[in-house]
Amino acid sequence: GAGVSQSPSNKVTEKGKDVELRCDPISGHTALYWYRQSLGQGLEFLIYFQGNSAPDKSGLPSDRFSAERTGGSVSTLTIQRTQQEDSAVYLCASRGSAANTEAFFGQGTRLTVV
Amino acid sequence: GENVEQHPSTLSVQEGDSAVIKCTYSDSASNYFPWYKQELGKRPQLIIDIRSNVGEKKDQRIAVTLNKTAKHFSLHITETQPEDSAVYFCAVSSSNTGKLIFGQGTTLQVKP
């Protein structure tokens, strides 16, 4: 596609339910990042995939959070047993293989846990 | 791990004045320093970036300076306009890991 695409755009879920957020990176981009942005806050790093290497999971806030990247393309961020503090915008970004190039963001998924 | 500190958290200037936002980082292996602008309700977008082999880069009204020895870099916006009002994020990355870490953001308000 032309850019990074995320789905759904908005998700409202009940506390305790599991949710899956999807990211379609730009075709050919080997690096993929997930960030969390709480209301009025910064971009909190969650996880980073680079090609076939083991992902850097150092930013995941708890074991309720996990992410996969299948076939080096689409990624899914899963949050199990959602809590109200998980409410935020989840942003995905991708970039090419060179680390010193522009990362492009998706429009984000706004997650609301009620 | 990598740590990026950004200051100030908020900045208010009069239209036409200059604005400066500063960031410091901890990992000396960092070699790529982008700046992103995020308008309300929009996704972050790159406005300028600098690599470690240069000390300064300019693009019209915006410029970035880098001091690798001191591990800090700054964004300079001259002749500010109301449409410059947004949240600005600095970031750092290194070729070693490719991990991209952002500062906490600066909310810039340009008063007409």
Side-chain angles (χ1 to χ4, degrees):
Chain A
V4 180
S5 178
Q6 292 186 244
S7 60
S9 299
N10 284 282
K11 176 72 176 179
V12 179
T13 190
E14 292 182 351
K15 178 180 172 182
K17 300 282 189 182
D18 298 352
V19 295
E20 285 190 352
L21 313 180
R22 177 186 169 105
C23 173
D24 281 274
I26 292 172
S27 179
H29 278 189
T30 58
L32 188 148
Y33 307 83
W34 282 99
Y35 297 91
R36 178 169 69 175
Q37 188 171 35
S38 301
L39 188 62
Q41 300 300 307
L43 299 166
E44 177 189 5
F45 169 80
L46 297 178
I47 188 168
Y48 158 53
F49 297 88
Q50 174 58 274
N52 296 320
S53 301
D56 181 333
K57 305 178 181 181
S58 59
L60 295 178
S62 77
D63 58 9
R64 297 187 295 105
F65 288 72
S66 63
E68 290 185 338
R69 190 178 184 193
T70 53
S73 180
V74 171
S75 178
T76 301
L77 177 68
T78 301
I79 308 174
Q80 295 179 309
R81 306 181 301 282
T82 51
Q83 304 293 314
Q84 287 186 331
E85 60 262 29
D86 299 335
S87 296
V89 175
Y90 290 81
L91 288 159
C92 172
S94 74
R95 66 176 174 182
S97 57
N100 58 353
T101 56
E102 180 177 0
F104 295 85
F105 280 85
Q107 81 280 16
T109 293
R110 180 176 298 280
L111 175 66
T112 304
V113 182
V114 298
Chain B
E2 177 63 86
N3 187 46
V4 183
E5 296 288 332
Q6 182 171 346
H7 299 282
S9 56
T10 60
L11 180 59
S12 181
V13 299
Q14 287 295 135
E15 182 177 359
D17 287 350
S18 295
V20 180
I21 304 170
K22 300 181 179 180
C23 287
T24 60
Y25 60 97
S26 59
D27 186 356
S28 56
S30 298
N31 58 1
Y32 177 63
F33 308 90
W35 286 89
Y36 282 77
K37 176 183 180 181
Q38 185 178 32
E39 297 177 345
L40 192 62
K42 302 274 186 71
R43 72 191 76 187
Q45 291 192 301
L46 182 77
I47 55 170
I48 194 168
D49 58 12
I50 191 168
R51 294 167 179 80
S52 60
N53 57 341
V54 297
E56 184 173 359
K57 183 177 179 181
K58 189 173 182 180
D59 182 4
Q60 299 183 342
R61 295 186 298 106
I62 59 173
V64 57
T65 58
L66 171 65
N67 184 328
K68 283 218 72 178
T69 303
K71 289 191 270 189
H72 68 71
F73 57 111
S74 301
L75 177 71
H76 305 253
I77 307 175
T78 58
E79 301 171 26
T80 53
Q81 301 168 2
E83 51 265 38
D84 294 330
S85 297
V87 180
Y88 291 81
F89 292 97
C90 64
V92 299
S93 181
S94 80
S95 299
N96 294 346
T97 67
K99 190 172 176 178
L100 185 62
I101 299 298
F102 286 82
Q104 299 86 346
T106 297
T107 300
L108 173 65
Q109 181 186 30
V110 180
K111 299 178 182 176

